[in-house]
Amino acid sequence: LILAAYYTYTLPIEKAYSFVWPGFIGGFIVAIITMFKKEWSPVTVPIYAALEGLALGGISLIYANAFEPGIVPKAIFLTLGIMFALLFAYKTKIIKATENFKLGVFAATAGIGVVYLVSFIMSFFGSGGGLAVMDPSNSSLMSIGFSLFVVVIASLNLVMDFDFIEEAAENGAPKYMEWYGAFGLLVTLVWLYLEILRLLAKLSRD
């Protein structure tokens, strides 16, 4: 993912932009295949990573040009920092993936998914381009608060990924499930990175 992202990030912005939608759409299709055919994970997950990387490199370049060049390294370090902090918290039992925890995170994630869907549908009607809280240039307190909430929920999804990987290992899951566990982690990290980018963009506005 990082190698593919670096490739598109170093391209001229027009060419980099041309990779965004093919990368995201291709990644989405491969992700669906992976979910239904877990045994194909050793092949599909690297393909998913490459496609998402191409898209993320383009998106990152767009944000760097639209807001500030330093926004990308900040988002990368924050994403990795959150991942390692939560891995430490999970392994030291500071955070436990109880059933109530999983239910709460799932409900919040589903709610955010509904907001994304509504914003996506609204973008086809009118010139607003979706819900105002989703706009990276909207620096209102409500918009920043929404992004903070999404970043928190995306981060907590990492705990569920860690728990899934640990349980699969303890239960002697097949070898290919290593790749499927990595896939789940990658999906969450891509989401978290994009939301941190959006939050930093909002905070950079006057």
Side-chain angles (χ1 to χ4, degrees):
L1 184 141
I2 292 170
L3 287 172
Y6 179 77
Y7 168 72
T8 45
Y9 189 74
T10 55
L11 295 173
I13 191 164
E14 297 82 6
K15 193 170 183 181
Y17 184 75
S18 67
F19 282 97
V20 173
W21 282 111
F24 278 134
I25 293 170
F28 178 75
I29 293 168
V30 175
I32 296 297
I33 293 169
T34 304
M35 284 188 278
F36 283 99
K37 287 287 186 180
K38 294 180 178 64
E39 63 272 18
W40 293 2
S41 295
V43 175
T44 58
V45 174
I47 295 171
Y48 169 81
L51 289 167
E52 288 295 316
L54 292 173
L56 286 186
I59 285 283
S60 298
L61 186 60
I62 291 165
Y63 269 83
N65 277 269
F67 298 96
E68 55 169 306
I71 197 172
V72 173
K74 286 178 188 174
I76 292 170
F77 284 120
L78 279 170
T79 303
L80 293 176
I82 289 170
M83 182 186 74
F84 286 117
L86 284 175
L87 179 58
F88 175 78
Y90 176 76
K91 292 302 290 181
T92 55
K93 307 298 181 185
I94 295 172
I95 295 178
K96 294 180 181 179
T98 63
E99 289 307 311
N100 286 338
F101 175 89
K102 292 177 183 177
L103 185 62
V105 173
F106 176 79
T109 304
I112 292 167
V114 171
V115 174
Y116 284 170
L117 182 61
V118 169
S119 182
F120 181 70
I121 293 170
M122 284 179 63
S123 67
F124 289 100
F125 304 97
S127 58
L131 293 172
V133 292
M134 300 288 288
D135 185 357
S137 62
N138 181 0
S139 58
S140 69
L141 284 177
M142 181 177 287
S143 180
I144 290 171
F146 175 76
S147 283
L148 277 170
F149 174 73
V150 175
V151 166
V152 168
I153 298 304
S155 301
L156 293 178
N157 269 272
L158 288 171
V159 176
M160 295 177 66
D161 294 327
F162 298 148
D163 184 64
F164 173 82
I165 292 167
E166 190 169 60
E167 281 190 6
E170 288 175 353
N171 294 330
K175 186 73 174 171
Y176 64 79
M177 288 299 288
E178 289 180 345
W179 285 95
Y180 191 75
F183 166 70
L185 198 57
L186 202 57
V187 170
T188 305
L189 287 171
V190 167
W191 177 32
L192 178 60
Y193 172 75
L194 287 172
E195 285 305 328
I196 288 175
L197 259 186
R198 196 197 306 267
L199 175 60
L200 290 175
K202 292 175 180 179
L203 292 172
S204 72
R205 307 296 286 181
D206 293 331

